[in-house]
Amino acid sequence: MPILPSGASIDPNWLSEQLNLRVDELEIESLGVPQGFTSNTMRLRPRGPSDALPSSLILKIDSDDPQSREIALLLNCFRREVGFYRSFAPQLSSLVPQTYATGNGSSDEGRWLLLEDLSMMAVGNQVRGVTADACSQVLDAIAQVHARFWNASDLLHHDWLPDHQFWFQGSTETLSSFHRNFLDDYELRVEPEVLKAIDLVIEHSQAIDEAMAQRPSTLVHGDLRVENVLFAKNNTQRDVVVLDWGTPTRSMAAIDLAYLIGGGVPMPARRGRLRELCKLWHQSLKTYGVKDYTLAEAWADVQLAALRCLSSVLLLHNWQLDPNISSRAILLNDEWIERSCALILELEALEALPSLV
């Protein structure tokens, strides 16, 4: 039987205790995940006398990979995800998996979640990417989250929810240390204007964060890539479900938009449609109740967000230098880097820099 970080066995007795339902037998299927995920996932198929017992459910626990586990602990991923599912998921039930039970998110005994099994839906493929139309579905879904918590004071009352914290942030010193190796591989593959933007993002990383902090705030997913999204396969399923809420943060909403488009929509699929996608997201915000936020403001926020997300290319390239990285992770990171760099030109994101420097 698999074990929790505490060493406790994941067995029928443990699951019975968590569900408050009798479990006589338990089948466990390990689910493979791409490198870079900060947890292990498995499908549990319990058997017992109660009709209330789900036929299957998903268990998330600490990753077996030491580096992934270290990142999860550094970012406080389990406490943040448990906090999200306990505090906010009930208000977003159509957009996220049902929660059966959670640990406390902090202790070795508590870093786990039991969630609805939605494997019958289609999962996004980060390497392949998604179409602009599929992206617009995700933007409408995440706009519901943004609108629900737009400038909401209750986001300030949760000590597990940080302000403006993203895995792809970095100090000028940290980003500078990755820069030379990045240029060794990408200097001839990236447009000169983007190389200039990377230089400026490194130099003015703190100023970008400070500018974001002045914008309207809301609940932001923080890792809205297409492999964290499920899509309906038929009309009996929800259109879109957003997974992996391990890095939610209180910040500027447009981060989710720039991150999703920049990393997940290939350049040919989004060419000529960026303003349309921004307009669709903005209209969804208005439909779900956001007021006093203009389309021009939304576009400027997306430009600023793209600059913040640009630092991700330096971190991802640095991870690529790990000799143990998988071939798929290299391909995934390479696609992300090229798409994110191209987005800077497509959005004319350098327009956002004069106010920062």
Side-chain angles (χ1 to χ4, degrees), residues 86-297:
R86 287 182 174 182
S87 300
F88 300 142
Q91 304 169 60
L92 304 167
S93 58
S94 66
L95 303 174
V96 300
Q98 177 186 345
T99 315
Y100 289 105
T102 73
N104 59 31
S106 301
S107 65
D108 284 348
E109 295 83 2
R111 291 197 298 276
W112 57 268
L113 301 99
L114 284 167
L115 302 172
E116 179 183 9
D117 183 4
L118 295 172
S119 56
M120 71 293 295
M121 298 182 71
V123 63
N125 183 321
Q126 189 69 41
V127 174
R128 182 180 187 274
V130 295
T131 66
D133 289 341
C135 178
S136 68
Q137 286 185 286
V138 183
L139 292 179
D140 181 73
I142 204 65
Q144 295 178 55
V145 179
H146 295 158
R148 171 61 186 82
F149 297 100
W150 195 263
N151 283 333
S153 59
D154 58 346
L155 293 183
L156 300 171
H157 302 150
H158 302 278
D159 61 1
W160 53 266
L161 184 69
D163 288 344
H164 316 292
Q165 185 184 96
F166 305 98
W167 68 263
F168 47 88
Q169 278 170 307
S171 66
T172 294
E173 180 180 10
T174 298
L175 298 177
S176 295
S177 70
F178 300 151
H179 193 207
R180 183 65 260 170
N181 285 335
F182 174 82
L183 292 178
D184 287 344
D185 286 338
Y186 284 92
E187 188 170 20
L188 301 182
R189 300 173 59 189
V190 173
E191 296 289 346
E193 295 91 337
V194 179
L195 294 176
K196 175 185 175 182
I198 292 173
D199 287 338
L200 291 169
V201 166
I202 292 172
E203 181 181 359
H204 300 288
S205 185
Q206 181 177 347
I208 291 172
D209 288 339
E210 291 172 350
M212 288 170 48
Q214 300 305 310
R215 304 302 301 140
S217 63
T218 187
L219 182 66
V220 171
H221 184 280
D223 191 21
L224 192 62
R225 50 195 168 87
V226 298
E227 286 183 339
N228 286 339
V229 179
L230 300 176
F231 298 90
K233 286 184 176 180
N234 56 60
N235 57 15
T236 68
Q237 298 172 344
R238 289 174 275 177
D239 290 338
V240 168
V241 173
V242 182
L243 307 175
D244 287 329
W245 289 86
T247 56
T249 187
R250 176 182 169 273
S251 193
M252 182 179 75
I255 279 284
D256 281 338
L257 189 148
Y259 189 94
L260 174 68
I261 297 175
V265 185
M267 286 87 83
R270 71 194 189 202
R271 187 171 295 126
R273 299 192 65 178
L274 293 182
R275 287 192 178 273
E276 173 192 345
L277 290 171
C278 182
K279 185 176 181 180
L280 288 169
W281 172 69
H282 178 258
Q283 182 57 53
S284 291
L285 289 176
K286 292 173 59 179
T287 298
Y288 299 124
V290 172
K291 299 178 181 179
D292 301 322
Y293 184 63
T294 67
L295 180 57
E297 289 177 304

Side-chain angles (χ1 to χ4, degrees), residues 65-84:
D65 177 63
Q67 184 179 22
S68 296
R69 187 164 56 249
E70 181 180 352
I71 293 171
L73 291 172
L74 179 66
L75 294 175
N76 207 15
C77 289
F78 271 95
R79 188 158 183 256
R80 288 163 78 173
E81 188 157 22
V82 166
F84 168 81

